[in-house]
Amino acid sequence: MNFEDWVGSLRDVIQEDTDLLNYHEGRWRVENRLLNWQQFGARIFDAHLDVFQACAVEVLGEVDPQFELEPEERYAAGIHGKVLKHSGTLREGISETLALLGNQGDALKNCSANKPETTAMLIIRELFEANDWRTWASVNHLLPNMAEGAPREFLDSVQRALSSDTCPFDEVFKQEGHGTFGGTYISGLLWALEGLAWSDDYLVRVATLLADLAARDPGGAWSNRPDNSIVAILLPWHPQTLATTEKRLACMRAIKNDHPDIAWSVLMRLLPNQQQSTSGTHKPKWFIALEEDWKPAVSHADYYEQIASYAELAIEMAFGDLANLTELVGYLDNLPQVAFDKVIDHLTSDTVVDLNEEERLPIWSKLKRFSRKHRRFQDAKWALPLDVIDKLDGVAERLKPVSPEGMYQHLFTHNDSDLYEENGDWEKQRRLLDEKRTQAVLAIWNDGGLERILAFVENVSAPHQIGWALAEAVDVSLEKAILPDLFGSSKQALHFVDGFVLKTYLNLGSEWLDKIPAKTWETEQKTQLLIRLPFDEEAWNRAAEWQGEDEKHYWSEVRVNPYGSEGNLLYAVDKLIKYGRPIAAIECLYVRLHNERHLDHARAIDALLRAVSTDEPPNTLDQHYVLELIKALQEDPATDPDGLFRVEWAYVSLLDSHGGVKPRLLEQKLATEPEFFCEAIQLIYRPKGAEQTEVIDEDKKTIATNAWRLLHEWKHPPGLQEDGTFAADICIQWLEAVKKLCGESGRLDVALVKVGEVLRYSPEDPDGLWINDEVARQLNSTDAETMRDGFRTEVFNSRGVHWVDPTGDPERELAEQWRQKAVAVEEVGYARFGATLRQLADSYDRDADRVVADHFNDE
């Protein structure tokens, strides 16, 4: 049957029953897919299913060409022509048909027994038998429908993939991107598994597969993570499954058998706490009848039964693992009373009390921290009563270490507030903590001197605090014993030296440095001392004095902290640029600009340009600093325009309306120099009719991407002056030059589309027309159809992301606005331009009708 005959048969159907199909403004729409399936299923035969199977494998098995690009480039896949052959609507429809075959096969009365279900199963099997990660990623958002079509075969496919030597999901995880243009390709698989987890039959298997995935998950910025899915499915107060409580507990036991670490992590999040929330999981659409607004009916008895079961399992896992037991202490306030009492009894049992000090120490430290928190916030609703806290302190007393190192280890951590005894007056609490640390270090020093201190350093999480306290506590000169020998010691010892050097210098000042025989040290030893001093003029001068030509070692290694730095930061900027650290120089320039409201143009331009190709880690470049420096350069008329041009081009990917700083000079050059505009067009587009023959290297890709971003954000039409006035003659001259240059290069059409887009931002005419009269005249020309298309496209795109009002009123308002503008230009004689605007208005009316119809159909 050809297409015309097929459409003709649809017209017959719609005359008979409007509940099945809808036809509006050239678009066919299925009103009720399930009803259609049931009514026409008898017309489907085995041969049709065989054809469908082949088509489904071909269409859904196509690897998305976007995966030929790097993750950070995939947002522009359409620009590169890396798109699927078949539409998303077709692919979605095929996946839904798969679901119908697996769940509504009885409607196909003239097909062989089990033929529909078998067809769905075979499609799933054939699609994933190659174990190609790209196939899984390509059908990512279709996987929920596909899973419902053949649940067992789908779960088998996931299991085979997880068990293979080269698991495809490892590569899928790696494709996760970051930021605005990033994406994740594992989410569809998680939604598919969440959908199947609603079934009592599949829950345990789904949970174990999610645990298998969680064990392979490298982590990432997206919240779609396998372990989060497990937690959301099993939350006691809001379970996302129809399975029984017993079956949910069986899930945790199954996960515990295969992945104890995953089971423990999930259990800790299933226990009650103050931060639990959920938006639910993916709900099945085909194989289980579940209302969209379904909510679990969890009774208090059922809830507490689940909590008690999870707590019992947690205790079971904790009593045999000291690390788990230590962590569980931090959740004591989330345990039911029975479980709480069991943990307390276990902590005071010989099994724990008789552990050696090293094994008891983490448990004791956690108990003390837990107790301090509840005492400090005794007024909070979640705080335990004082008699319970006293009981916990009694338990801690039995586990208390004997050695000074054990007693004081907990004091030297990074989070000081955990060690405060009272709430409020934080400065007083900090001083009290400093005194405790000083007394602790002094006790260890008196017990065994520096050797004992250095042994203690290796066992704390914040060794620099020991160095700081030692410099405060011991009233003798220790630098000869510590410096410079410890510069070659362990990482922990080096952090200890950090604190000791900084505190000693702050106490004694430059006089202390004068007494150190640093000039006799090796260059690296001098460097290690200097980089531990505050980043200011004292250190810079010492580097020049002590190291001479070797001062590059200091500037290459120093941790730059210009905030509060004393001295001329421009001196530091010059040194950092000289020794290959332009990103650090940018931070200094930003702080100087922020503090003094003044920017050195030449240095800023030099640092910004060097930062593009520096060997410094790219993640150390702060975009805010860059944007603020560029903004300052743009606002100062004394800035070298050639330097600013190169800076804007280098950072054009950052300069958009979202960042608040635009490439002002580049946009001005586009609007005033037709040669530059045409060059940008040539960087992006091939001549009309030409095929790509040359290999595009990474440098050319980067240049083309920058040019595309520049033109994409360009909203400064030619002829627009700095004072807001419009010079029509300049606009006409510019346009004529563009037509000539781009016509010669074979890129006239794409250039004129872009011209039409930017003319959308032309100002009003002095005589009152909503757009400059000469611009309207140019857009009305007989040969300006391409420009008019660009103008119309930009009007649509400039609306951006918006909330869809189900009434369609915003679209109708836009339609009326543009219809009035069409009338205005027609009244001054621009009929062609007016016709384009009327088409634009009509399209908004159609959008309004579609919004209303979609909302009505959804109801």
mmCIF file with all atom_site columns, all heavy atoms in Angstrom, residues 14-25:
data_model
loop_
_atom_site.group_PDB
_atom_site.id
_atom_site.type_symbol
_atom_site.label_atom_id
_atom_site.label_alt_id
_atom_site.label_comp_id
_atom_site.label_asym_id
_atom_site.label_entity_id
_atom_site.label_seq_id
_atom_site.pdbx_PDB_ins_code
_atom_site.Cartn_x
_atom_site.Cartn_y
_atom_site.Cartn_z
_atom_site.occupancy
_atom_site.B_iso_or_equiv
_atom_site.pdbx_formal_charge
_atom_site.auth_seq_id
_atom_site.auth_comp_id
_atom_site.auth_asym_id
_atom_site.auth_atom_id
_atom_site.pdbx_PDB_model_num
ATOM 1   N N   . ILE A 1 14 ? -11.445 7.902  10.393 1.00 0.00 ? 14 ILE A N   1
ATOM 2   C CA  . ILE A 1 14 ? -11.786 9.073  11.201 1.00 0.00 ? 14 ILE A CA  1
ATOM 3   C C   . ILE A 1 14 ? -13.240 9.492  10.993 1.00 0.00 ? 14 ILE A C   1
ATOM 4   O O   . ILE A 1 14 ? -13.858 10.118 11.864 1.00 0.00 ? 14 ILE A O   1
ATOM 5   C CB  . ILE A 1 14 ? -10.824 10.244 10.893 1.00 0.00 ? 14 ILE A CB  1
ATOM 6   C CG1 . ILE A 1 14 ? -10.832 11.240 12.055 1.00 0.00 ? 14 ILE A CG1 1
ATOM 7   C CG2 . ILE A 1 14 ? -11.198 10.955 9.609  1.00 0.00 ? 14 ILE A CG2 1
ATOM 8   C CD1 . ILE A 1 14 ? -9.782  12.315 11.920 1.00 0.00 ? 14 ILE A CD1 1
ATOM 9   N N   . GLN A 1 15 ? -13.799 9.134  9.835  1.00 0.00 ? 15 GLN A N   1
ATOM 10  C CA  . GLN A 1 15 ? -15.215 9.426  9.606  1.00 0.00 ? 15 GLN A CA  1
ATOM 11  C C   . GLN A 1 15 ? -16.106 8.532  10.461 1.00 0.00 ? 15 GLN A C   1
ATOM 12  O O   . GLN A 1 15 ? -17.203 8.919  10.858 1.00 0.00 ? 15 GLN A O   1
ATOM 13  C CB  . GLN A 1 15 ? -15.554 9.232  8.119  1.00 0.00 ? 15 GLN A CB  1
ATOM 14  C CG  . GLN A 1 15 ? -14.820 10.181 7.177  1.00 0.00 ? 15 GLN A CG  1
ATOM 15  C CD  . GLN A 1 15 ? -15.082 11.646 7.488  1.00 0.00 ? 15 GLN A CD  1
ATOM 16  O OE1 . GLN A 1 15 ? -16.227 12.013 7.781  1.00 0.00 ? 15 GLN A OE1 1
ATOM 17  N NE2 . GLN A 1 15 ? -14.043 12.464 7.441  1.00 0.00 ? 15 GLN A NE2 1
ATOM 18  N N   . GLU A 1 16 ? -15.616 7.333  10.734 1.00 0.00 ? 16 GLU A N   1
ATOM 19  C CA  . GLU A 1 16 ? -16.416 6.367  11.480 1.00 0.00 ? 16 GLU A CA  1
ATOM 20  C C   . GLU A 1 16 ? -16.292 6.550  12.987 1.00 0.00 ? 16 GLU A C   1
ATOM 21  O O   . GLU A 1 16 ? -17.253 6.342  13.734 1.00 0.00 ? 16 GLU A O   1
ATOM 22  C CB  . GLU A 1 16 ? -16.004 4.937  11.102 1.00 0.00 ? 16 GLU A CB  1
ATOM 23  C CG  . GLU A 1 16 ? -16.251 4.595  9.634  1.00 0.00 ? 16 GLU A CG  1
ATOM 24  C CD  . GLU A 1 16 ? -15.681 3.241  9.264  1.00 0.00 ? 16 GLU A CD  1
ATOM 25  O OE1 . GLU A 1 16 ? -15.215 2.538  10.185 1.00 0.00 ? 16 GLU A OE1 1
ATOM 26  O OE2 . GLU A 1 16 ? -15.688 2.896  8.083  1.00 0.00 ? 16 GLU A OE2 1
ATOM 27  N N   . ASP A 1 17 ? -15.071 6.909  13.465 1.00 0.00 ? 17 ASP A N   1
ATOM 28  C CA  . ASP A 1 17 ? -14.858 6.957  14.916 1.00 0.00 ? 17 ASP A CA  1
ATOM 29  C C   . ASP A 1 17 ? -13.783 7.993  15.239 1.00 0.00 ? 17 ASP A C   1
ATOM 30  O O   . ASP A 1 17 ? -12.588 7.759  15.022 1.00 0.00 ? 17 ASP A O   1
ATOM 31  C CB  . ASP A 1 17 ? -14.430 5.582  15.432 1.00 0.00 ? 17 ASP A CB  1
ATOM 32  C CG  . ASP A 1 17 ? -14.487 5.502  16.956 1.00 0.00 ? 17 ASP A CG  1
ATOM 33  O OD1 . ASP A 1 17 ? -14.520 6.568  17.600 1.00 0.00 ? 17 ASP A OD1 1
ATOM 34  O OD2 . ASP A 1 17 ? -14.502 4.384  17.485 1.00 0.00 ? 17 ASP A OD2 1
ATOM 35  N N   . THR A 1 18 ? -14.176 9.128  15.756 1.00 0.00 ? 18 THR A N   1
ATOM 36  C CA  . THR A 1 18 ? -13.212 10.191 16.083 1.00 0.00 ? 18 THR A CA  1
ATOM 37  C C   . THR A 1 18 ? -12.478 9.927  17.393 1.00 0.00 ? 18 THR A C   1
ATOM 38  O O   . THR A 1 18 ? -11.584 10.677 17.759 1.00 0.00 ? 18 THR A O   1
ATOM 39  C CB  . THR A 1 18 ? -13.936 11.549 16.194 1.00 0.00 ? 18 THR A CB  1
ATOM 40  O OG1 . THR A 1 18 ? -14.979 11.447 17.161 1.00 0.00 ? 18 THR A OG1 1
ATOM 41  C CG2 . THR A 1 18 ? -14.524 11.958 14.852 1.00 0.00 ? 18 THR A CG2 1
ATOM 42  N N   . ASP A 1 19 ? -12.888 8.869  18.114 1.00 0.00 ? 19 ASP A N   1
ATOM 43  C CA  . ASP A 1 19 ? -12.175 8.530  19.347 1.00 0.00 ? 19 ASP A CA  1
ATOM 44  C C   . ASP A 1 19 ? -10.840 7.853  19.057 1.00 0.00 ? 19 ASP A C   1
ATOM 45  O O   . ASP A 1 19 ? -10.014 7.700  19.955 1.00 0.00 ? 19 ASP A O   1
ATOM 46  C CB  . ASP A 1 19 ? -13.018 7.600  20.221 1.00 0.00 ? 19 ASP A CB  1
ATOM 47  C CG  . ASP A 1 19 ? -14.236 8.305  20.797 1.00 0.00 ? 19 ASP A CG  1
ATOM 48  O OD1 . ASP A 1 19 ? -14.172 9.550  20.932 1.00 0.00 ? 19 ASP A OD1 1
ATOM 49  O OD2 . ASP A 1 19 ? -15.229 7.627  21.103 1.00 0.00 ? 19 ASP A OD2 1
ATOM 50  N N   . LEU A 1 20 ? -10.649 7.404  17.815 1.00 0.00 ? 20 LEU A N   1
ATOM 51  C CA  . LEU A 1 20 ? -9.437  6.666  17.477 1.00 0.00 ? 20 LEU A CA  1
ATOM 52  C C   . LEU A 1 20 ? -8.346  7.568  16.921 1.00 0.00 ? 20 LEU A C   1
ATOM 53  O O   . LEU A 1 20 ? -7.173  7.453  17.290 1.00 0.00 ? 20 LEU A O   1
ATOM 54  C CB  . LEU A 1 20 ? -9.756  5.563  16.458 1.00 0.00 ? 20 LEU A CB  1
ATOM 55  C CG  . LEU A 1 20 ? -10.758 4.502  16.921 1.00 0.00 ? 20 LEU A CG  1
ATOM 56  C CD1 . LEU A 1 20 ? -11.051 3.538  15.791 1.00 0.00 ? 20 LEU A CD1 1
ATOM 57  C CD2 . LEU A 1 20 ? -10.207 3.758  18.127 1.00 0.00 ? 20 LEU A CD2 1
ATOM 58  N N   . LEU A 1 21 ? -8.715  8.466  16.020 1.00 0.00 ? 21 LEU A N   1
ATOM 59  C CA  . LEU A 1 21 ? -7.744  9.316  15.354 1.00 0.00 ? 21 LEU A CA  1
ATOM 60  C C   . LEU A 1 21 ? -8.206  10.762 15.402 1.00 0.00 ? 21 LEU A C   1
ATOM 61  O O   . LEU A 1 21 ? -9.392  11.063 15.554 1.00 0.00 ? 21 LEU A O   1
ATOM 62  C CB  . LEU A 1 21 ? -7.559  8.894  13.888 1.00 0.00 ? 21 LEU A CB  1
ATOM 63  C CG  . LEU A 1 21 ? -6.911  7.545  13.606 1.00 0.00 ? 21 LEU A CG  1
ATOM 64  C CD1 . LEU A 1 21 ? -6.947  7.264  12.113 1.00 0.00 ? 21 LEU A CD1 1
ATOM 65  C CD2 . LEU A 1 21 ? -5.491  7.508  14.125 1.00 0.00 ? 21 LEU A CD2 1
ATOM 66  N N   . ASN A 1 22 ? -7.237  11.655 15.239 1.00 0.00 ? 22 ASN A N   1
ATOM 67  C CA  . ASN A 1 22 ? -7.536  13.071 15.174 1.00 0.00 ? 22 ASN A CA  1
ATOM 68  C C   . ASN A 1 22 ? -6.685  13.670 14.067 1.00 0.00 ? 22 ASN A C   1
ATOM 69  O O   . ASN A 1 22 ? -5.509  13.340 13.931 1.00 0.00 ? 22 ASN A O   1
ATOM 70  C CB  . ASN A 1 22 ? -7.216  13.750 16.512 1.00 0.00 ? 22 ASN A CB  1
ATOM 71  C CG  . ASN A 1 22 ? -7.455  15.250 16.468 1.00 0.00 ? 22 ASN A CG  1
ATOM 72  O OD1 . ASN A 1 22 ? -6.619  15.998 15.978 1.00 0.00 ? 22 ASN A OD1 1
ATOM 73  N ND2 . ASN A 1 22 ? -8.590  15.667 16.988 1.00 0.00 ? 22 ASN A ND2 1
ATOM 74  N N   . TYR A 1 23 ? -7.299  14.532 13.260 1.00 0.00 ? 23 TYR A N   1
ATOM 75  C CA  . TYR A 1 23 ? -6.564  15.200 12.184 1.00 0.00 ? 23 TYR A CA  1
ATOM 76  C C   . TYR A 1 23 ? -6.791  16.688 12.340 1.00 0.00 ? 23 TYR A C   1
ATOM 77  O O   . TYR A 1 23 ? -7.936  17.164 12.331 1.00 0.00 ? 23 TYR A O   1
ATOM 78  C CB  . TYR A 1 23 ? -7.059  14.731 10.817 1.00 0.00 ? 23 TYR A CB  1
ATOM 79  C CG  . TYR A 1 23 ? -6.326  15.372 9.661  1.00 0.00 ? 23 TYR A CG  1
ATOM 80  C CD1 . TYR A 1 23 ? -5.037  14.967 9.332  1.00 0.00 ? 23 TYR A CD1 1
ATOM 81  C CD2 . TYR A 1 23 ? -6.922  16.376 8.906  1.00 0.00 ? 23 TYR A CD2 1
ATOM 82  C CE1 . TYR A 1 23 ? -4.354  15.554 8.276  1.00 0.00 ? 23 TYR A CE1 1
ATOM 83  C CE2 . TYR A 1 23 ? -6.245  16.970 7.850  1.00 0.00 ? 23 TYR A CE2 1
ATOM 84  C CZ  . TYR A 1 23 ? -4.961  16.557 7.543  1.00 0.00 ? 23 TYR A CZ  1
ATOM 85  O OH  . TYR A 1 23 ? -4.279  17.135 6.499  1.00 0.00 ? 23 TYR A OH  1
ATOM 86  N N   . HIS A 1 24 ? -5.687  17.447 12.514 1.00 0.00 ? 24 HIS A N   1
ATOM 87  C CA  . HIS A 1 24 ? -5.820  18.883 12.730 1.00 0.00 ? 24 HIS A CA  1
ATOM 88  C C   . HIS A 1 24 ? -4.624  19.591 12.108 1.00 0.00 ? 24 HIS A C   1
ATOM 89  O O   . HIS A 1 24 ? -3.475  19.299 12.424 1.00 0.00 ? 24 HIS A O   1
ATOM 90  C CB  . HIS A 1 24 ? -5.890  19.188 14.235 1.00 0.00 ? 24 HIS A CB  1
ATOM 91  C CG  . HIS A 1 24 ? -6.118  20.642 14.537 1.00 0.00 ? 24 HIS A CG  1
ATOM 92  N ND1 . HIS A 1 24 ? -7.282  21.301 14.205 1.00 0.00 ? 24 HIS A ND1 1
ATOM 93  C CD2 . HIS A 1 24 ? -5.316  21.560 15.134 1.00 0.00 ? 24 HIS A CD2 1
ATOM 94  C CE1 . HIS A 1 24 ? -7.199  22.565 14.595 1.00 0.00 ? 24 HIS A CE1 1
ATOM 95  N NE2 . HIS A 1 24 ? -6.007  22.739 15.169 1.00 0.00 ? 24 HIS A NE2 1
ATOM 96  N N   . GLU A 1 25 ? -4.931  20.515 11.192 1.00 0.00 ? 25 GLU A N   1
ATOM 97  C CA  . GLU A 1 25 ? -3.899  21.325 10.545 1.00 0.00 ? 25 GLU A CA  1
ATOM 98  C C   . GLU A 1 25 ? -2.776  20.468 9.967  1.00 0.00 ? 25 GLU A C   1
ATOM 99  O O   . GLU A 1 25 ? -1.585  20.728 10.160 1.00 0.00 ? 25 GLU A O   1
ATOM 100 C CB  . GLU A 1 25 ? -3.330  22.354 11.524 1.00 0.00 ? 25 GLU A CB  1
ATOM 101 C CG  . GLU A 1 25 ? -4.362  23.376 11.954 1.00 0.00 ? 25 GLU A CG  1
ATOM 102 C CD  . GLU A 1 25 ? -3.768  24.492 12.796 1.00 0.00 ? 25 GLU A CD  1
ATOM 103 O OE1 . GLU A 1 25 ? -2.578  24.375 13.168 1.00 0.00 ? 25 GLU A OE1 1
ATOM 104 O OE2 . GLU A 1 25 ? -4.479  25.465 13.066 1.00 0.00 ? 25 GLU A OE2 1
#
